[in-house]
Amino acid sequence: MKNADRTADPLVLRPGDFGYDEELSGFQTGFARRPAVVFAASSADDVIVAVRYAAAENLPIGVQATGHGLPGALEGGVLVTTKRMDKVTIDPGARTVRVEAGVRWGQVVAAAEPYGLAPLNGSAPSVGAVSYTLGGGLGILAREFGYAADHVRSLEIVTADGQLRYVTRESDPDLYWALLGGGHNFGVVTALEIDLVPVKTLYGGSLAFDGREVDPAALLRAYEEWTRTVPDGLTSSFAVVPYPDIPALPPHLRGRYVVSVRVAYTGAGGEELVAPLRELGPLLADSLRAMPYAESRTIHSDPDFPHAYYGDSAVLSELDVAAAGELLARVGPDAGGPMCVVQINHLSGALAQPAPNSVPYREGRFLVRLLTVGDRDAARAVLDPAFALLADTTIGRALNFAFGAGDRTEGLYDAETLKRLAGLKSQYDPANLFRTHYNVGA
């Protein structure tokens, strides 16, 4: 292994080296990783060097791209960082995009816009496209188009044998199935090709209510009833956020306990569909409008600065609004615990359609996500009793939303999917070289 600044070799960093800490920095600041060796990859060839080194030294290896997640515990192991692999290639005729491992969704949105196309990205432009897709990819137009993983044409991956493979549904159906939903358990995905959709504009935005003036539980009940009336093409979520009183926030949000409904819809009659929501109470803000797809990031306005957070999720067969209302009270600003953000995504629609990948729980009707701050033990003391309230209708958890909680592998897959993933892990990575925080075993 050669170190350094030669262009033919990957940059290799160890603890104490200049640039080591900066290389490890990312969006998530709450959990530190101290690998023994970091390979700062600029190409698939660099990834091959890293994987072969880890295999020769019998060291676990993980991947850190550019998004919101983190690899598994790699103290003493090898980490491949891929943020330098940021090439985006649009094929407007085929309506596809090839993204390298370090690409963020905001780059793809900008690159596709001139062609009247859009990716199936999530709510935050800073999320890494590849890791998002390997975990399923629940986007802002998910009920219309399904999971991002459902639209992958091909993947390029360096597997445990140090070989670069080009994987399609036809060439390697088992590995293709495992990668899309199984995440980073099977190798380092260096690029993927995925469909774009012909969307130039949409109707979207949010309605914000003051959670101290309008009962959040009553709003949730009305929201759940409303979701039963909307077409499959309308994607929405319900969120409850206790905003701090800081100058960085818009005046109407500072120090407020805000309940909002976020909407994204490409069909006709959006104004009529959301009209019942506007009648639920006085509004703090109303940003619903027709917009270019390039402005879709404003629907959720997710924070774009690095910070510490811990979160988990529950996929529900139905939303028990009484239990969910109790959850809102348990984690609300008057409960005396740490700040907790709640988001409830309406599923079904195209998300319920079968696909040749390992994304589980397609029968789920809602996804409940909780985010909080503090160390792992303090966060679990808040989240565990909250999720327990939803136990009767919980069918699993969502891999993309196990923020720091992925060391708990139970529930991330149904038993049949987990068994098949574990079998394929034994086939493609028998030494369990690739360690993720949601390892499916070897």
Side-chain angles (χ1 to χ4, degrees):
M1 178 182 60
K2 301 176 182 178
N3 195 3
D5 50 2
R6 292 177 55 189
T7 56
D9 300 314
L11 174 65
V12 178
L13 299 166
R14 294 181 174 83
D17 287 350
F18 178 78
Y20 174 89
D21 291 331
E22 182 181 359
E23 191 67 22
L24 293 178
S25 64
F27 191 85
Q28 166 65 275
T29 64
F31 304 97
R33 295 291 186 264
R34 305 295 295 179
V37 185
V38 178
F39 285 80
S42 298
S43 67
D45 287 341
D46 290 349
V47 175
I48 290 171
V49 171
V51 172
R52 290 179 178 177
Y53 170 79
E57 299 295 326
N58 195 29
L59 294 173
I61 185 169
V63 187
Q64 180 172 317
T66 50
H68 290 191
L70 282 176
L74 290 170
E75 285 70 15
V78 175
L79 179 68
V80 179
T81 60
T82 62
K83 59 187 175 184
R84 294 166 182 80
M85 301 173 64
D86 61 355
K87 188 175 181 181
V88 176
T89 306
I90 303 288
D91 184 337
R95 293 181 180 172
T96 61
V97 59
R98 180 183 182 273
V99 296
E100 291 188 336
V103 169
R104 301 172 190 261
W105 275 126
Q107 298 170 250
V108 187
V109 172
E113 182 190 21
Y115 303 102
L117 300 171
L120 297 176
N121 56 287
S123 59
S126 58
V127 166
V130 169
S131 293
Y132 162 98
T133 304
L134 298 183
L138 182 66
I140 58 174
L141 298 177
R143 278 175 42 83
E144 181 175 1
F145 295 106
Y147 289 99
D150 301 344
H151 296 266
V152 171
R153 300 283 188 93
S154 64
L155 307 97
E156 297 163 41
I157 179 175
V158 179
T159 46
D161 56 6
Q163 301 299 313
L164 179 65
R165 299 171 182 245
Y166 179 78
V167 176
T168 68
R169 181 183 178 185
E170 293 73 29
S171 68
D172 297 273
D174 286 338
L175 184 55
Y176 177 91
W177 177 90
L179 289 171
L180 297 171
H184 294 286
N185 271 291
F186 299 89
V188 182
V189 173
T190 58
L192 59 78
E193 183 184 20
I194 189 170
D195 292 334
L196 299 170
V197 294
V199 174
K200 298 179 182 179
T201 62
L202 57 78
Y203 178 82
S206 69
L207 298 175
F209 304 85
D210 188 328
R212 297 194 183 279
E213 292 185 4
V214 185
D215 178 17
L219 289 172
L220 178 58
R221 186 178 303 108
Y223 169 73
E224 192 278 337
E225 293 174 354
W226 175 77
T227 63
R228 297 178 181 273
T229 70
V230 300
D232 283 350
L234 189 149
T235 305
S236 69
S237 62
F238 178 94
V240 181
V241 183
Y243 284 99
D245 188 1
I246 56 175
L249 292 172
H252 72 279
L253 295 180
R254 294 176 191 168
R256 298 272 195 174
Y257 182 40
V258 177
V259 182
S260 61
V261 177
R262 291 87 169 261
V263 171
Y265 182 55
T266 65
E271 281 286 313
E272 291 77 12
L273 288 170
V274 302
L277 298 175
R278 287 197 169 105
E279 303 301 318
L280 298 180
L283 292 168
L284 286 174
D286 181 348
S287 66
L288 287 169
R289 68 195 188 281
M291 66 174 72
Y293 190 84
E295 296 179 10
S296 60
R297 67 188 183 281
T298 65
I299 295 173
H300 292 75
S301 295
D302 291 330
D304 59 0
F305 52 87
H307 58 284
Y309 52 96
Y310 185 98
D312 212 338
S313 62
V315 183
L316 309 181
S317 58
E318 291 291 340
L319 182 63
D320 181 334
V321 291
E326 176 64 19
L327 180 151
L328 296 180
R330 292 273 190 95
V331 302
D334 298 327
M339 173 185 174
C340 193
V341 175
V342 181
Q343 180 163 314
I344 302 175
N345 291 77
H346 183 205
L347 304 179
S348 62
L351 295 166
Q353 298 301 312
N357 56 52
S358 53
V359 180
Y361 307 125
R362 290 178 178 268
E363 70 274 28
R365 188 162 179 264
F366 286 93
L367 170 70
V368 176
R369 301 157 54 184
L370 300 181
L371 283 178
T372 189
V373 295
D375 62 35
R376 181 177 277 112
D377 291 340
R380 290 247 63 98
V382 174
L383 300 188
D384 286 349
F387 281 116
L389 295 168
L390 308 175
D392 287 348
T393 57
T394 296
I395 58 176
R397 298 163 61 217
L399 179 59
N400 277 148
F401 304 107
F403 295 122
D407 53 313
R408 297 175 57 250
T409 58
E410 65 272 15
L412 290 175
Y413 302 98
D414 60 88
E416 182 178 348
T417 299
L418 182 59
K419 180 179 179 181
R420 184 178 176 189
L421 284 171
L424 291 169
K425 175 75 168 177
S426 296
Q427 177 182 343
Y428 287 100
D429 184 16
N432 196 22
L433 189 67
F434 296 102
R435 308 283 178 85
T436 73
H437 59 285
Y438 48 92
N439 200 286
V440 297

